[in-house]
Amino acid sequence: MAQWAKLQQLQGEALKQVQNVYGDHFPLEVRFVLAQWIEDIPWSELDPDNPNHENYAARLAVSLIQELENKASSDDLNFVMKLKLDEAAVYFRDHYSSNPQQLMKVIKNCLQAEHNAIQLAENPCVHVPNQILSTSHVHQEISQHLDKLKKKTQETEEEVRRIQQEQESFVIQYQESAKRQAQIQQLTNQSNTHSNVEMLNKLQREKELLDDALRQRATSLVQQRQALADRQQDTLMQVHALQTRVLDDELIKWKRNQQLSGNGAVFENNLDQVQEWCELLVEIIWQNRQQIKRVEMLCSQLPINSPMGNILERFRSLNSDITGLLSSLVTSTFVIEKLPPQVMKTNTRFTATVRLLVGGKLNVHMTPPQVRVTIISEAQANSLLKNKVGMTEASGEILNNTGTMEYHQATRQLSVSFRNMQLRKIKRAEKKGTESVMDEKFSLLFQSEFKVGGEELVFRVWTLSLPVVVIVHGNQEPHAWATVTWDNAFAEPVYIPPRMSDSYQGRVPFAVPDKVPWPQMAEVLNMKFHAACGQGLSADNFQYLATKGFRNSQIQDFSNMMITWSQFCKEPLPDRNFTFWEWFYAIMKVTREHLRVLWNDGVIIGFIGRRNAEEMLLKRPSGTFLLRFSDSELGGVTIAWVAEDPQQEMHDVFMLQPFTGRDFSIRSLADRINDLKHLLYLYPDRAKDEAFGKYYTPFTENQPPSSNGYVKPVLVTHIPGLTGMVSGLESFPGTPQSYFPPHSPDTGGYIDPSSMPSSGDQPMHAGAAVSDMDYDLLGMDLMSGDMDVPVDFSTINVSDLVAYTKSE
């Protein structure tokens, strides 16, 4: 069922949540009339922050406006709906024509909100996994706590108002008392007449009553101020606890999940939810700060001594503490929403987006702040963390590294996207021991400064990107990704106690352990492979990978073993010139680019050793084959099959020289398997065509010429001399009837379909069918003295010779 159809079945709170994400920026009526058109677009493949999608976003915006205008002119809609669609078309043209990526982002946000609401409705709480339930419970607790703080802030606002009114009444009464005192003084200086004495007594009585009332009011004011200070202190503590939970738990969790997504983990991006909490927090903090400042001013205007201490100093202390909370909240919510690439090549364009989560609430956009980007080294990042201030020194030169933050009304986000940055130069540190440039980590530093509260407060904010490795050539990429993968997975958090908290604050740049437990390493490899290829690894795969990583096939249980950084990507595998990671990375690359559907379909065993493959195949009938990743060729895939060897009258296992990505870009693996007629069953007993038939490239004998007038040739994978090994199978004409030794020392036991010699020592290339016309057998001197080995006439097909002679 389409998402819009499911959406219409929502009720209650779920439906209300969806309605809340729509508005003038994207009316619900537009979603209704363009439901099918919207859902036909592959939103999951579109990234509003990707510069490569800018042209598509522009075309999308134009198409959407045209669709709206067409619908608005249709006779199928009522008058009110037409007006609404016309208004929406005008709004879209005014607001999104110059920024079509924002429209793409708005629609994606709306669709995601719909999806979340539908998922929640279709999966009641009793069926939700514990982790999701726990997350939902945490979110509910935070929301409830925020509601209590908002109510508490409203109550203290009323108290401040009462204190102000009480103080104003006190001042009025004090003035009356002062007036009576002035009158008394005046009468005292006059003659003591009867009338004056009576008036003086009256004034003194009135003044005594006023003074008694003033003393009571003064006591009441002191008590009210103390009570308010106590309540503000309690509010401050609760705000601090909740802010710690939001920043040090939820926001740090978001950053950690963002980091793990660099290794392929599923990233549930809840930054909008975190922003909503932070906005409510900053609103509560700002209101309480204003209340404290007002009472502080009232105390200054009317200082009243109290045996409980100086109340003015207490409010000044509260003001300092809550301003510190505000500063912590603002500086912590300056985050990198879209990270720069972690493997960065010089002179290559890259993007990044930073966002100030509380910027909209503080009206920072009224004076839009500038953001500057620099690249710094690991040592500079450590220095920055210790000093807690921005820096100007850089370790490289970045083009287009400044931008102005903009407020997007539709999404309520204050952010800036850098779309055309380019690293031109990099300054590296001196290398020690076996270190290479691919081991060196840098980070992008984003800095800004802005003022809030009528320039009362100045904030200097900065944030660091995840570590990046800078390369200058593509061949450095695998090792660079090893550094990044290890860092993303095993970054060591530390506890740095700030002024008001002992909670988690970050990590030491860029400390990582030298060794980690194998199960954690296996989880990382699975995460990477699943993200790249669509299907993760099995327990057998993990066992095989462990034997490779530890260079030991005798151990059965690796669960308690630690794999080192050196074993992972520094030390070459035995008898190889590449490391474990380079081997795994090449397999992942070829699978992602050429074998993804086959891997996901389960037809590639892949991670299996030669000996195990042989043992498995020798138990199966001739023609059974399997696909395994090569141990000796980076990114190589070999076909291993069992066949009867007529020379030795026994079954043996043969393996083709591995195919690589270059081979698959010429002809797919499925088509190559189809070419090899001796392959009958995919291990253990699945018919070849059943397993691979749907992946064969359709072919007809009489293909018409292409648009350029040329007839496209078809390459066919062929193994010369195969017929001698496998009886009863068809072979291409002219194929020599010899057999290959099963373990050739020159090829490590592989049969190379593109390099084995045919009769006459002519090379046979993969995909070339041997024709009768390739050899002029009638003109060949078979007993020539140039031949080192006598000709074996039993290998010559006499029928072919006769057929050839007749055709001439």
Side-chain angles (χ1 to χ4, degrees):
M1 184 187 296
Q3 184 164 305
W4 177 251
K6 294 180 179 179
L7 185 69
Q8 295 178 75
Q9 298 179 2
L10 294 180
Q11 297 178 353
E13 187 63 26
L15 182 59
K16 185 178 179 181
Q17 289 178 4
V18 173
Q19 290 174 327
N20 289 339
V21 302
Y22 287 95
D24 291 338
H25 60 285
F26 196 76
L28 191 59
E29 291 84 353
V30 173
R31 176 69 175 97
F32 167 65
V33 298
L34 298 183
Q36 191 60 50
W37 184 88
I38 290 173
E39 293 184 25
D40 285 342
I41 295 171
W43 296 104
S44 60
E45 301 174 12
L46 302 178
D47 182 1
D49 296 317
N50 189 335
N52 296 326
H53 294 179
E54 288 180 5
N55 292 335
Y56 185 90
R59 293 195 300 271
L60 181 70
V62 171
S63 298
L64 187 143
I65 294 171
Q66 289 177 347
E67 288 288 330
L68 270 183
E69 291 173 340
N70 292 339
K71 288 288 185 181
S73 62
S74 171
D75 295 332
D76 299 335
L77 301 176
N78 61 46
F79 177 73
V80 176
M81 180 65 81
K82 289 182 178 182
L83 285 179
K84 189 66 177 179
L85 297 184
D86 279 332
E87 290 175 2
V90 171
Y91 182 90
F92 289 171
R93 198 182 300 278
D94 292 342
H95 289 78
Y96 299 132
S97 292
S98 59
N99 188 10
Q101 296 95 333
Q102 186 61 31
L103 175 61
M104 184 187 291
K105 185 179 291 188
V106 166
I107 299 176
K108 288 193 69 171
N109 287 343
C110 292
L111 294 177
Q112 185 61 48
E114 291 179 8
H115 176 74
N116 293 342
I118 292 170
Q119 287 290 101
L120 192 59
E122 292 181 345
N123 299 278
C125 291
V126 292
H127 301 301
V128 178
N130 290 336
Q131 183 179 1
I132 298 176
L133 278 174
S134 176
T135 302
S136 177
H137 180 66
V138 168
H139 291 186
Q140 187 177 7
E141 281 187 349
I142 292 175
S143 297
Q144 290 174 349
H145 203 163
L146 283 166
D147 289 339
K148 290 180 181 178
L149 284 172
K150 285 172 62 178
K151 184 178 180 181
K152 195 176 180 67
T153 301
Q154 291 171 355
E155 292 171 352
T156 51
E157 177 66 29
E158 291 296 324
E159 284 192 42
V160 172
R161 196 174 288 116
R162 282 196 297 270
I163 289 175
Q164 185 172 353
Q165 291 173 350
E166 187 73 17
Q167 183 161 321
E168 289 172 352
S169 298
F170 179 92
V171 171
I172 292 172
Q173 283 190 332
Y174 183 83
Q175 289 175 341
E176 288 293 324
S177 176
K179 183 178 176 182
R180 298 293 188 279
Q181 180 63 39
Q183 291 173 338
I184 290 171
Q185 188 66 37
Q186 185 179 2
L187 288 173
T188 302
N189 295 332
Q190 295 178 2
S191 59
N192 293 327
T193 62
H194 179 72
S195 61
N196 285 348
V197 171
E198 286 186 354
M199 180 61 68
L200 183 62
N201 291 334
K202 178 184 177 184
L203 289 173
Q204 287 176 341
R205 285 195 302 271
E206 289 178 354
K207 186 177 183 305
E208 288 175 1
L209 291 173
L210 286 172
D211 288 347
D212 287 341
L214 283 173
R215 282 190 289 270
Q216 292 176 6
R217 283 185 180 275
T219 302
S220 175
L221 271 175
V222 169
Q223 291 173 348
Q224 288 182 56
R225 288 176 180 181
Q226 291 287 359
L228 180 62
D230 291 339
R231 294 200 63 169
Q232 288 286 4
Q233 184 73 49
D234 182 60
T235 300
L236 186 64
M237 293 176 62
Q238 290 188 40
V239 168
H240 175 241
L242 183 58
Q243 180 168 308
T244 299
R245 188 171 187 178
V246 171
L247 297 182
D248 297 349
D249 292 344
E250 298 303 318
L251 186 56
I252 291 296
K253 187 188 300 180
W254 177 86
K255 290 182 178 180
R256 179 58 179 155
N257 290 338
Q258 184 188 44
Q259 183 177 26
L260 289 175
S261 70
N263 280 358
V266 176
F267 183 28
E268 294 293 339
N269 190 348
N270 68 328
L271 189 60
D272 290 341
Q273 174 68 78
V274 176
Q275 172 170 318
E276 183 179 338
W277 292 331
C278 292
E279 287 179 332
L280 290 171
L281 269 173
V282 80
E283 198 172 346
I284 291 169
I285 289 173
W286 189 262
Q287 289 174 359
N288 279 276
R289 183 174 181 271
Q290 294 303 105
Q291 292 172 12
I292 292 171
K293 287 178 62 180
R294 281 162 56 193
V295 177
E296 188 180 344
M297 182 182 66
L298 291 173
C299 292
S300 299
Q301 291 173 345
L302 183 62
I304 303 176
N305 295 327
S306 167
M308 300 178 66
N310 191 330
I311 191 67
L312 177 59
E313 287 302 318
R314 188 175 179 190
F315 276 103
R316 285 174 177 170
S317 177
L318 287 171
N319 189 1
S320 175
D321 288 344
I322 202 165
T323 302
L325 277 179
L326 177 64
S327 177
S328 175
L329 180 61
V330 172
T331 54
S332 297
T333 54
F334 184 64
V335 299
I336 305 173
E337 180 179 7
K338 180 179 175 59
L339 289 163
Q342 287 190 265
V343 174
M344 189 176 296
K345 191 176 180 182
T346 54
N347 299 311
T348 302
R349 188 175 72 154
F350 64 94
T351 65
T353 300
V354 291
R355 179 167 154 190
L356 182 61
L357 302 184
V358 297
K361 284 293 181 181
L362 294 176
N363 292 321
V364 175
H365 55 282
M366 301 304 290
T367 306
Q370 289 272 324
V371 180
R372 182 169 176 266
V373 189
T374 52
I375 188 167
I376 62 175
S377 66
E378 182 171 342
Q380 290 171 323
N382 268 294
S383 175
L384 175 65
L385 188 66
K386 292 175 183 177
N387 298 330
K388 296 285 185 179
V389 293
M391 62 193 315
T392 56
E393 185 181 357
S395 290
E397 177 186 340
I398 299 177
L399 293 182
N400 305 314
N401 66 329
T402 58
T404 303
M405 301 196 83
E406 297 178 358
Y407 184 69
H408 306 283
Q409 187 69 38
T411 57
R412 306 193 318 276
Q413 295 175 6
L414 182 71
S415 62
V416 55
S417 292
F418 298 88
R419 301 181 181 279
N420 296 290
M421 287 194 289
Q422 190 176 105
L423 180 62
R424 295 300 303 275
K425 296 178 182 178
I426 192 67
K427 182 168 62 178
R428 300 188 183 276
E430 293 183 6
K431 301 296 174 290
K432 301 176 183 178
T434 60
E435 289 182 352
S436 70
V437 296
M438 289 84 76
D439 295 321
E440 187 175 6
K441 302 172 190 174
F442 296 88
S443 182
L444 265 62
L445 171 64
F446 296 80
Q447 300 178 86
S448 185
E449 180 178 314
F450 52 86
K451 301 175 182 178
V452 299
E455 301 189 358
E456 175 192 1
L457 298 173
V458 179
F459 293 102
R460 294 179 179 88
V461 296
W462 57 266
T463 187
L464 286 172
S465 75
L466 292 177
V468 301
V469 178
V470 178
I471 63 174
V472 297
H473 194 279
N475 61 13
Q476 297 174 317
E477 191 171 285
H479 189 101
W481 273 114
T483 301
V484 166
T485 299
W486 190 279
D487 190 280
N488 285 344
F490 310 120
E492 293 186 322
V494 295
Y495 286 83
I496 305 172
R499 186 168 63 88
M500 297 187 65
S501 171
D502 293 329
S503 55
Y504 178 94
Q505 293 296 307
R507 63 177 289 206
V508 175
F510 294 108
V512 289
D514 183 60
K515 56 185 178 180
V516 296
W518 169 251
Q520 293 183 20
M521 186 75 257
E523 183 181 353
V524 173
L525 297 177
N526 181 60
M527 191 184 297
K528 296 284 290 185
F529 209 88
H530 186 279
C533 307
Q535 184 75 25
L537 304 172
S538 66
D540 290 339
N541 296 156
F542 290 139
Q543 184 68 19
Y544 178 67
L545 288 170
T547 63
K548 297 285 286 188
F550 289 103
R551 285 79 167 164
N552 192 326
S553 59
Q554 304 303 315
I555 301 176
Q556 295 300 315
D557 184 7
F558 296 91
S559 59
N560 295 319
M561 296 184 65
M562 305 284 284
I563 186 168
T564 66
W565 165 250
S566 183
Q567 289 173 320
F568 178 65
C569 71
K570 285 290 189 179
E571 302 170 4
L573 293 172
D575 302 322
R576 301 286 182 254
N577 60 355
F578 48 80
T579 65
F580 169 80
W581 168 257
E582 288 172 328
W583 171 80
F584 181 82
Y585 182 87
I587 289 173
M588 189 166 56
K589 187 173 187 291
V590 74
T591 305
R592 181 187 72 236
E593 295 176 356
H594 301 284
L595 309 173
R596 184 183 176 93
V597 293
L598 298 180
W599 173 260
N600 292 335
D601 203 14
V603 297
I604 299 177
I605 292 181
F607 294 103
I608 182 174
R610 170 191 291 273
R611 182 173 299 177
N612 285 347
E614 291 175 346
E615 291 176 355
M616 290 165 57
L617 288 171
L618 285 172
K619 299 175 183 177
R620 310 306 304 173
S622 292
T624 304
F625 68 99
L626 57 81
L627 306 172
R628 58 177 291 267
F629 298 127
S630 172
D631 293 308
S632 59
E633 180 100 16
L634 283 177
V637 180
T638 185
I639 303 174
W641 78 95
V642 62
E644 184 176 345
D645 187 342
Q647 302 294 327
Q648 301 183 21
E649 296 183 354
M650 60 179 291
H651 279 66
D652 208 343
V653 174
F654 304 89
M655 298 189 186
L656 278 183
Q657 179 74 24
F659 296 111
T660 63
R662 185 176 181 182
D663 298 312
F664 297 139
S665 64
I666 298 172
R667 188 158 176 80
S668 72
L669 177 58
D671 286 337
R672 291 178 182 275
I673 290 172
N674 187 31
D675 293 339
L676 302 175
K677 304 305 179 185
H678 67 285
L679 303 180
L680 302 178
Y681 308 104
L682 177 66
Y683 182 89
D685 55 7
R686 188 177 177 186
K688 178 177 72 174
D689 290 343
E690 178 192 337
F692 296 94
K694 57 186 173 184
Y695 304 116
Y696 296 158
T697 301
F699 172 75
T700 56
E701 287 292 338
N702 299 316
Q703 295 196 41
S706 58
S707 58
N708 58 12
Y710 291 109
V711 176
K712 185 177 180 181
V714 177
L715 300 175
V716 178
T717 304
H718 171 55
I719 306 175
L722 185 64
T723 311
M725 280 196 303
V726 187
S727 59
L729 297 178
E730 297 179 0
S731 179
F732 290 94
T735 300
Q737 306 300 304
S738 60
Y739 72 98
F740 297 122
H743 300 292
S744 169
D746 294 334
T747 60
Y750 287 117
I751 297 175
D752 187 348
S754 63
S755 62
M756 294 304 296
S758 63
S759 178
D761 285 342
Q762 298 296 320
M764 178 66 69
H765 298 286
V770 183
S771 169
D772 291 349
M773 298 299 294
D774 288 338
Y775 303 95
D776 186 359
L777 297 180
L778 294 181
M780 182 183 293
D781 184 2
L782 297 178
M783 297 302 294
S784 168
D786 295 334
M787 299 187 68
D788 296 329
V789 182
V791 176
D792 182 2
F793 286 90
S794 66
T795 64
I796 299 178
N797 192 323
V798 179
S799 299
D800 285 350
L801 290 178
V802 174
Y804 174 79
T805 306
K806 289 181 180 180
S807 66
E808 288 294 304

